[in-house]
Amino acid sequence: MTVKTTPENVAEAHKGLFHATMNLPAAAAHCGMTQKQLKLTFWEYLKYHAPDYEILKDSFEISRGEEPCSE
């Protein structure tokens, strides 16, 4: 069974990827595109949609595997 690619399906897939409620294979299957096609359209989506979260000033930074400072 194939899914017809429509602007509505693609928009839902982009929103799902943007908000991390879908992974790439699920989003591609949802809108009837290949993963490569969806990646290309999602990069375009990211160009025109700013992040919708804010980093609070009192938040702490998580170590990214770096060695701790010995101060």
Side-chain angles (χ1 to χ4, degrees):
M1 181 166 107
T2 59
V3 176
K4 185 174 180 176
T5 303
T6 64
E8 293 80 18
N9 287 348
V10 175
E12 291 170 0
H14 285 162
K15 286 182 183 180
L17 289 172
F18 189 72
H19 295 291
T21 58
M22 284 187 186
N23 61 18
L24 184 64
H30 176 77
C31 65
M33 299 173 84
T34 66
Q35 291 182 29
K36 186 174 183 175
Q37 289 170 327
L38 186 57
K39 281 182 189 179
L40 293 172
T41 61
F42 187 59
W43 279 110
E44 289 296 315
Y45 177 88
L46 291 176
K47 283 183 186 178
Y48 301 106
H49 292 82
D52 62 352
Y53 60 87
E54 71 178 88
I55 299 173
L56 302 175
K57 291 186 180 197
D58 60 347
S59 64
F60 58 92
E61 196 168 317
I62 298 174
S63 171
R64 305 259 183 235
E66 300 166 353
E67 293 295 320
C69 295
S70 59
E71 292 180 25

